[in-house]
Amino acid sequence: MKIESLEDLREDFIGEKRVHIFNAGPAALPLSVLREVQEHFLNFRGSGMSITEISHRSTLFEEVINDAIDRTRRLLKLSDDYHVLFIQGGASLQFCMIPMNLALPGRPVTYINTGVWSTKATKEAHVQGKDVRVIPAPEDTDFSSLPTDFTVDKQSSYLHFTSNNTIKGTQWQQFPDAQGVPLISDMSSDFMSRPFDVRPFGLIYAGAQKNLGPPGVAVVIIREDMLKRVPDTLPTMLKYTTYRDKKSLFNTPPTFAIYVIDLVLTWLEETIGGLTEMEKVNKEKASLIYEVIDESEIYQGVAEVNSRSMMNVAFRLPDEKLEQSFLAEAGNNGFKGLRGHRSVGGCRASLYNAVTIDSVKSLATFMREFEEKS
Ligand SMILES: *Cc1c(COP(=O)(O)O)cnc(C)c1O
């Protein structure tokens, strides 16, 4: 795979074929990955078929999925008692599979509620009649900050939290102390953006379309001891054990999505050089935009400073009219996807792994120029 150089990017921008993608999800993918897909699409590894036409039982596809699993294991330094699974249905199906598979009989489940996505996750445990305990975000901050001081019921089956809150742009810098209870995390919007210690985690999941690949699949990392909880009575497709036993090939998996994930992981390992390197780049990108916000008279950050996300920078302008003209002018200048989530409005720049420093620098410059003019 070719290393993505700035020259490559410029070539595309000059041709006006590509824009700066700040989408919240589906989101930017590394240009070198897209090129690789394009170049080999009609004849995948000499098969004379495209990746979307070959059998999911073929050796060729097995190589792809095994490579994606191996790379995930290496990038996260997973020990042998963790399994890497690919499950369709996005992060949202995990909201329901988690309580279904992992709530222990007669014991509560605990959720830290830090925004829209954790609220949705919590709802799925309620729907199933589980004994749900909720640790709320600080009151009156409207999800712009994270809870700091809380106790977890030691009887809890698990403690669920959202590592990065995609909509309001808050992120746990240090993961919550689970106080001995297995941690479960929705890492959809910051998975593989930084290194972390997986050992406190019983399960980690991420919808691929934010930081890892195209839509169509969630990556689930689950520890062996958690699998012992899975009730026999669940439908086959909703049991984590099915995906472990059949190596995510019980039925036809989303082959194209898994293939692109494997390419993104290859890029992460070989071009970027792993998660420590990725984190450095991500920190630099985020600080470029937060710097503009902190020095500005018109941009106001949504998240409280010590809860700020490296991945999603949410900000507002003084009034709706100025926001609209900012978004329109940004769009005209090739900066796409900056509109905030429909539930909160405002603006949001998603700076996932594949968004280049070059794109972020250009956005920072654009924001400064826009402020000077307005
Ligand atoms: C986008 C997102 C989801 C929803 O993902 P789907 O794959 O669409 O179900 C869940 N959690 C977080 C944190 C997200 O950012």
Side-chain angles (χ1 to χ4, degrees):
M1 207 189 315
K2 259 200 298 183
I3 294 191
E4 178 178 301
S5 72
L6 296 182
E7 283 314 310
D8 281 352
L9 278 172
R10 270 193 210 106
E11 193 186 297
D12 272 12
F13 289 130
I14 290 165
E16 287 184 335
K17 283 184 258 158
R18 300 264 309 162
V19 294
H20 298 285
I21 302 169
F22 295 99
N23 290 342
L29 288 168
L31 194 58
S32 55
V33 165
L34 297 175
R35 286 224 165 99
E36 170 86 13
V37 173
Q38 183 181 42
E39 193 179 329
H40 299 286
F41 193 67
L42 296 182
N43 183 359
F44 179 65
R45 297 187 187 165
S47 65
M49 295 179 266
S50 79
I51 180 72
T52 56
E53 295 164 310
I54 65 169
S55 167
H56 60 293
R57 309 259 174 232
S58 61
T59 315
L60 271 181
F61 184 71
E62 250 173 47
E63 275 170 24
V64 169
I65 193 167
N66 288 339
D67 193 58
I69 292 168
D70 291 346
R71 288 184 187 280
T72 303
R73 304 193 77 88
R74 283 199 298 270
L75 282 159
L76 296 175
K77 301 187 165 60
L78 297 180
S79 53
D80 289 345
D81 53 341
Y82 283 93
H83 302 275
V84 179
L85 313 175
F86 294 96
I87 304 180
Q88 297 193 49
S92 299
L93 184 66
Q94 294 311 304
F95 296 165
C96 95
M97 278 179 76
I98 287 162
M100 199 177 269
N101 281 266
L102 305 178
L104 293 163
R107 308 249 301 259
V109 294
T110 303
Y111 285 76
I112 305 181
N113 190 12
T114 52
V116 169
W117 296 117
S118 17
T119 305
K120 287 191 175 173
T122 310
K123 180 172 169 233
E124 295 304 308
H126 276 296
V127 162
Q128 294 173 44
K130 305 297 179 196
D131 174 10
V132 183
R133 309 285 163 82
V134 177
I135 297 170
E139 269 180 53
D140 301 329
T141 67
D142 196 21
F143 293 135
S144 63
S145 65
L146 300 169
T148 44
D149 222 3
F150 50 84
T151 47
V152 181
D153 183 337
K154 299 270 188 300
Q155 285 296 304
S156 301
S157 304
Y158 55 78
L159 174 66
H160 179 284
F161 75 105
T162 312
S163 58
N164 181 74
N165 300 286
T166 326
I167 294 174
K168 286 290 177 91
T170 62
Q171 183 178 30
W172 293 83
Q173 305 311 329
Q174 271 178 336
F175 292 142
D177 175 9
Q179 300 160 32
V181 168
L183 264 183
I184 292 186
S185 186
D186 175 0
M187 293 199 184
S188 293
S189 52
D190 67 354
F191 191 57
M192 298 281 187
S193 68
R194 54 182 173 176
F196 65 94
D197 179 11
V198 297
R199 283 171 301 179
F201 290 91
L203 184 146
I204 293 161
Y205 63 104
Q209 72 276 17
K210 309 285 164 66
N211 222 1
L212 206 58
V217 70
V219 176
V220 175
I221 292 165
I222 186 165
R223 206 170 56 204
E224 180 66 26
D225 61 302
M226 302 298 281
L227 288 162
K228 297 200 171 71
R229 302 179 177 191
V230 177
D232 286 338
T233 50
L234 294 183
T236 312
M237 283 291 286
L238 295 176
K239 275 179 172 167
Y240 287 121
T241 42
T242 302
Y243 296 84
R244 177 204 49 193
D245 295 344
K246 302 292 177 185
K247 297 191 164 166
S248 303
L249 293 167
F250 170 72
N251 73 327
T252 319
T255 48
F256 182 75
I258 294 170
Y259 160 65
V260 180
I261 289 173
D262 182 41
L263 295 180
V264 172
L265 295 171
T266 306
W267 169 83
L268 253 175
E269 264 200 306
E270 294 173 17
T271 305
I272 298 296
L275 299 187
T276 305
E277 292 306 312
M278 192 72 255
E279 182 181 40
K280 279 188 208 154
V281 177
N282 286 332
K283 274 193 174 148
E284 187 180 344
K285 290 187 303 189
S287 65
L288 283 166
I289 302 299
Y290 284 121
E291 215 173 272
V292 175
I293 290 173
D294 289 341
E295 289 168 6
S296 161
E297 310 258 303
I298 63 165
Y299 305 111
Q300 204 193 349
V302 171
E304 283 183 11
V305 173
N306 50 13
S307 299
R308 277 176 169 175
S309 166
M310 265 196 314
M311 295 278 102
N312 309 96
V313 181
F315 57 96
R316 307 220 59 140
L317 281 83
D319 59 68
E320 188 100 4
K321 199 164 153 257
L322 203 56
E323 255 166 29
Q324 292 310 324
S325 79
F326 172 80
L327 289 168
E329 204 166 311
N332 292 337
N333 282 278
F335 301 101
K336 300 292 183 182
L338 292 170
R339 189 179 295 281
H341 190 267
R342 57 193 144 70
S343 66
V344 296
C347 308
R348 171 178 52 177
S350 296
L351 311 178
Y352 299 127
N353 288 353
V355 176
T356 61
I357 289 210
D358 224 28
S359 277
V360 178
K361 281 185 180 155
S362 304
L363 176 63
T365 305
F366 169 79
M367 287 171 73
R368 287 209 164 92
E369 285 171 2
F370 182 87
E371 175 161 5
E372 270 165 35
K373 276 193 311 182
S374 64

